[in-house]
Amino acid sequence: MKNNKTKLTPEEHRLFGDLMPEELEDVLHSGFNRRHFVKLMGLATAGLLASYALGAEQLFARAVEMEDIPNLIPEAIENGVTVNFKVNSTPRNVLVDSRMTLLDTLRERIGLTGSKKGCDHGQCGACTVIVDGHRVLSCLTLAATCQGKSVITIEGLAKDNELNPMQAAFLKHDGFQCGFCTPGQICSAVALMKEAKEGQASFATKKLSTDPKSIILSEEEIAERMSGNICRCGAYPNIVAAIKEAQTGKNVPQNWLFTD
Amino acid sequence: MNNFEYKQAEDIATAINLISEQDNTKFLAGGTNLLDLWKYNLTNPSGLVDINRIHGLAEIKELSNGGVRLGANFKNADTAYHPIIENKYPLLSKAILAGASAQIRNMASNGGNLLQRTRCYYFYDPDVPCNKRNPGSGCPAKEGYNRIHAILGTSDHCIAVFPSDMCVALAALNALVNVEGAEGKRTIAFADFHRLPGDRPDLDNNLKPGELITSIDLPDKGFAQNYSYLKLRDRHSYAFALVSVATALELDGEMIKDARIALGGVAHKPWRSTEAENFLRGKSANESNFAAAADIILQDAKGYGHNDFKIALAKKAIIRNGLMALNPQSQLPGAKPSA
Ligand SMILES: Cc1cc2nc3c(=O)[nH]c(=O)nc-3n(C[C@H](O)[C@H](O)[C@H](O)COP(=O)(O)OP(=O)(O)OC[C@H]3O[C@@H](n4cnc5c(N)ncnc54)[C@H](O)[C@@H]3O)c2cc1C
Ligand code: SF4
Ligand code: FES
Ligand code: FES
């Protein structure tokens, strides 16, 4: 992660110089951090990154610099439980209050704020993460139950400077507006790809398959399988298009077009 | 949200001991209902016993009597996708897949699914009376907004419904629930597992305090040829049933040899009518006979105002689901008309 604070590509240099000049020095000096990332996300939603498409994609894939979060003193915690688990392949050892959910642990203790707290009651999917290969809701998971498990969050999907194909497809298809549900949508969609590949049926599947034959996802199938992720902005048509493209690997036309 | 001690049990005996050692301790399985209720201050356990690491509780195995045993900790999703269940008990796969979301089905255990609590809005609101939450305080749903409430088997004390989909199929399949407690093991027939509210709506089922569900047995007969699960709800997906129907038929040509019809979303437990099932035996599998069976099932149905529509909806659902069971491939989810 640390080695990412190295040189910017020429496109990135130009982008920071043009759009975020006050940040350029900072980035050159101490690397790309969460504050820069948040600002960039803002510019992305405002459409200002369009002409820097190349650099923007790389920037989204850049791992965000993360400080180590100190453990709380055990005396400050009632019913403390020590949990050893992996988060995005990094082993973590945290002392948590027995009441702490995985979501709060990720956000408040480990500093990974990509997973969002929408409802905190299992109803929206914004907190979706992948635990031991399965998509689950981190708001209804106690951190204490994660001993020995491996958790993947939105921050762990890109490899080096390369976006996960699902992230790239969401960018291409504008699979978001405000972006609040997006980390949950993308984690959910990544797990969905594996489920479909393994031939796991949904309520919309006509025939419950018996052999693990990959299921090609129709729009109805995608909608049914993604129904646990609510999007208040209603970006559903674009989310479906993005998942279709990621699943088929074929170019799916965007639902929107630039006009002159 | 109260404080609680978190304990892990590695085997059944330890889990049962840990539960009996401390008052107000609860088993923790998937947590999808327990933690939700706890965050709303509707349950305040002083301790949680995590049963997820108990060896052997998350298995599925075939029984010598031709049936199948589902471990209590076997997940809803794993159950629905298991080849034995898909092939032999497709009604159960369908019912599970109709419930909740992919994320929740990955977390939810089979044991926990049986014990999920009602979604009555008054039950969820600690500022209003509710006999289920606070016995003797009253039932505001009867005169209040009761669109999602029961039409069958209600009492003056409570008109809540039991929200599970999976259990509707388990009821139709005559499943058995194996439990173990400080006083030993016992097996409960599915029809006797959940209760009607009567004058004790605080009790959802007949599990005794401290008893652990260890597994659920499915009898040999799986109705894999003619089955259908229909779920009608306000959204096309990810919503609880207003009315759901599990239908399983054994046919001899046109003639019905055996029939099972269980309803969800209409009562305090999955609803079955032996009278209607007996009526169908020996009859032709056609619309008018399914309609007559629906009339028998719904003869004592009673609406409370906002939920009056459920009576007509249930009748249509029973008929349509009977016809879909004749050709399971014709099943379409939700309110879409069949092709
Ligand atoms: C947003 C949302 C939508 C949902 N939609 C649906 C739906 O459409 N259809 C549907 O059927 N369900 C639905 N559900 C409910 C879900 O299926 C249940 O919450 C789940 O099945 C409960 O299982 P669990 O393992 O998470 O139980 P937990 O929450 O861990 O436990 C529930 C209760 O059972 C007890 N318990 C658990 N296991 C055992 C055991 N082995 N022995 C004794 N006691 C035990 C616990 O102490 C607790 O009291 C929904 C849930 C949510 C949050
Ligand atoms: S219907 Fe039952 S759960 Fe709902 S308010 Fe009345 S007593 Fe409470
Ligand atoms: S925050 Fe977990 S489902 Fe809404
Ligand atoms: S993009 Fe705003 S909630 Fe989905």
Side-chain angles (χ1 to χ4, degrees):
Chain A
M1 200 169 288
K2 294 248 175 344
N3 52 14
N4 262 319
K5 79 161 89 159
T6 48
K7 293 180 214 100
L8 297 181
T9 65
E11 291 89 351
E12 289 168 347
H13 200 286
R14 187 164 68 88
L15 180 139
F16 276 112
D18 288 0
L19 290 178
M20 295 165 57
E22 61 284 19
E23 267 80 16
L24 179 61
E25 269 309 301
D26 199 18
V27 176
L28 289 173
H29 225 89
S30 30
F32 185 63
N33 68 27
R34 203 176 308 126
R35 190 169 48 79
H36 305 134
F37 183 76
V38 169
K39 191 153 181 192
L40 259 178
M41 278 302 282
L43 297 172
T45 357
L48 286 177
L49 290 191
S51 56
Y52 301 84
L54 217 188
E57 286 229 349
Q58 286 170 355
L59 277 162
F60 279 109
R62 238 168 221 281
V64 177
E65 194 67 19
M66 208 162 26
E67 323 86 71
D68 271 337
I69 280 100
N71 260 335
L72 301 179
I73 44 164
E75 291 74 21
I77 296 186
E78 243 181 290
N79 298 318
V81 184
T82 303
V83 191
N84 287 291
F85 65 142
K86 274 190 187 162
V87 180
N88 299 329
S89 308
T90 309
R92 294 280 177 175
N93 180 312
V94 256
L95 176 66
V96 295
D97 184 308
S98 61
R99 292 173 294 181
M100 197 127 176
T101 60
L102 174 59
L103 177 61
D104 287 340
T105 307
L106 291 169
R107 294 180 53 88
E108 311 291 332
R109 298 296 305 283
I110 302 181
L112 293 173
T113 53
S115 309
K116 296 289 181 269
K117 186 183 282 194
C119 64
D120 211 19
H121 284 279
Q123 301 187 354
C124 73
C127 65
T128 303
V129 298
I130 301 172
V131 175
D132 287 350
H134 301 291
R135 47 174 159 164
V136 299
L137 302 174
S138 58
C139 72
L140 292 183
T141 304
L142 288 182
T145 62
C146 294
Q147 173 64 33
K149 299 197 171 169
S150 169
V151 180
I152 304 288
T153 69
I154 187 74
E155 291 92 342
L157 291 179
K159 292 281 167 282
D160 299 323
N161 271 355
E162 208 170 305
L163 290 178
N164 178 293
M166 191 61 77
Q167 290 174 301
F170 266 68
L171 274 177
K172 172 179 164 188
H173 288 275
D174 257 354
F176 48 81
Q177 254 183 60
C178 76
F180 192 84
C181 71
T182 315
Q185 299 277 3
I186 293 181
C187 285
S188 200
V190 166
L192 179 160
M193 297 265 283
K194 178 168 159 266
E195 294 161 10
K197 204 168 170 184
E198 290 172 357
Q200 298 182 357
S202 80
F203 194 48
T205 310
K206 282 246 164 60
K207 189 176 182 306
L208 297 171
S209 73
T210 44
D211 46 326
K213 250 191 267 134
S214 177
I215 296 176
I216 297 292
L217 299 175
S218 62
E219 285 180 14
E220 191 190 1
E221 277 275 11
I222 294 173
E224 168 60 31
R225 288 164 187 269
M226 289 296 289
S227 71
N229 292 84
I230 309 286
C231 173
R232 285 193 65 180
C233 298
Y236 299 115
N238 297 359
I239 293 171
V240 171
I243 295 175
K244 246 178 148 174
E245 172 148 341
Q247 208 219 2
T248 56
K250 287 189 199 118
N251 190 35
V252 171
Q254 280 118 324
N255 286 318
W256 50 271
L257 276 179
F258 285 121
T259 49
D260 299 327
Chain B
M1 289 185 291
N2 64 288
N3 248 317
F4 55 75
E5 253 183 273
Y6 169 84
K7 307 169 191 179
Q8 260 182 9
E10 307 278 334
D11 56 64
I12 294 176
T14 314
I16 293 171
N17 276 339
L18 286 173
I19 279 280
S20 53
E21 263 170 18
Q22 187 183 344
D23 276 352
N24 197 17
T25 303
K26 291 198 160 266
F27 294 121
L28 174 71
T32 59
N33 195 226
L34 184 57
L35 297 179
D36 181 31
L37 295 169
W38 165 72
K39 288 184 187 187
Y40 280 124
N41 248 324
L42 299 175
T43 183
N44 312 96
S46 59
L48 289 188
V49 177
D50 183 350
I51 57 173
N52 285 292
R53 295 185 193 247
I54 296 183
H55 184 71
L57 226 53
E59 287 175 354
I60 176 169
K61 67 172 181 225
E62 289 177 283
L63 298 171
S64 56
N65 66 7
V68 167
R69 175 162 295 172
L70 302 170
N73 278 348
F74 203 54
K75 297 295 185 187
N76 282 183
D78 295 332
T79 308
Y81 301 137
H82 199 283
I84 298 178
I85 305 299
E86 285 184 336
N87 281 323
K88 192 161 175 177
Y89 307 98
L91 177 64
L92 181 58
S93 289
K94 277 277 179 188
I96 294 174
L97 293 174
S101 66
Q103 291 94 314
I104 292 170
R105 294 191 296 268
N106 278 338
M107 305 170 74
S109 67
N110 290 336
N113 194 304
L114 270 57
L115 301 174
Q116 60 177 298
R117 306 216 65 191
T118 185
R119 295 277 159 171
C120 170
Y121 349 93
Y122 300 100
F123 172 75
Y124 262 86
D125 180 354
D127 294 334
V128 301
C130 164
N131 285 329
K132 191 180 272 300
R133 176 167 31 76
N134 185 7
S137 63
C139 171
K142 278 188 304 175
E143 279 86 40
Y145 188 63
N146 47 39
R147 189 165 180 277
I148 63 170
H149 288 77
I151 52 171
L152 286 164
T154 54
S155 77
D156 267 356
H157 303 276
C158 178
I159 61 168
V161 303
F162 174 59
S164 167
D165 289 294
M166 178 184 188
C167 290
V168 182
L170 291 176
L173 293 168
N174 279 347
L176 298 166
V177 186
N178 299 313
V179 308
E180 194 169 333
E183 284 158 32
K185 300 181 185 184
R186 60 188 184 119
T187 297
I188 309 169
F190 209 81
D192 302 327
F193 188 83
H194 295 100
R195 296 178 71 255
L196 287 180
D199 58 3
R200 287 299 305 275
D202 53 314
L203 301 176
D204 296 347
N205 54 59
N206 291 314
L207 197 68
K208 292 187 197 140
E211 268 182 330
L212 178 78
I213 299 178
T214 51
S215 61
I216 298 154
D217 286 354
L218 302 170
D220 183 32
K221 206 161 163 179
F223 297 92
Q225 299 307 315
N226 293 102
Y227 68 91
S228 181
Y229 188 74
L230 175 63
K231 181 175 183 183
L232 301 172
R233 42 188 157 173
D234 282 330
R235 288 195 298 226
H236 193 53
S237 180
Y238 200 23
F240 288 96
L242 290 167
V243 170
S244 72
V245 190
T247 304
L249 301 172
E250 189 186 359
L251 298 175
D252 183 359
E254 296 268 287
M255 203 259 292
I256 299 174
K257 273 176 74 184
D258 195 3
R260 308 265 178 86
I261 300 177
L263 264 57
V266 297
H268 201 258
K269 61 189 285 188
W271 191 266
R272 272 185 66 183
S273 156
T274 336
E275 196 187 337
E277 293 173 9
N278 287 341
F279 164 83
L280 283 175
R281 253 176 237 122
K283 303 266 184 344
S284 310
N286 61 33
E287 186 165 342
S288 63
N289 283 329
F290 289 131
D295 287 336
I296 298 174
I297 296 171
L298 297 164
Q299 57 194 342
D300 295 323
K302 173 175 173 219
Y304 288 81
H306 300 101
N307 69 348
D308 292 348
F309 75 97
K310 280 194 181 185
I311 301 174
L313 189 67
K315 178 167 180 182
K316 288 186 180 176
I318 293 166
I319 299 171
R320 180 179 152 201
N321 205 45
L323 297 173
M324 289 202 298
L326 302 179
N327 180 10
Q329 302 272 339
S330 72
Q331 285 180 59
L332 286 174
K336 278 196 185 170
S338 304

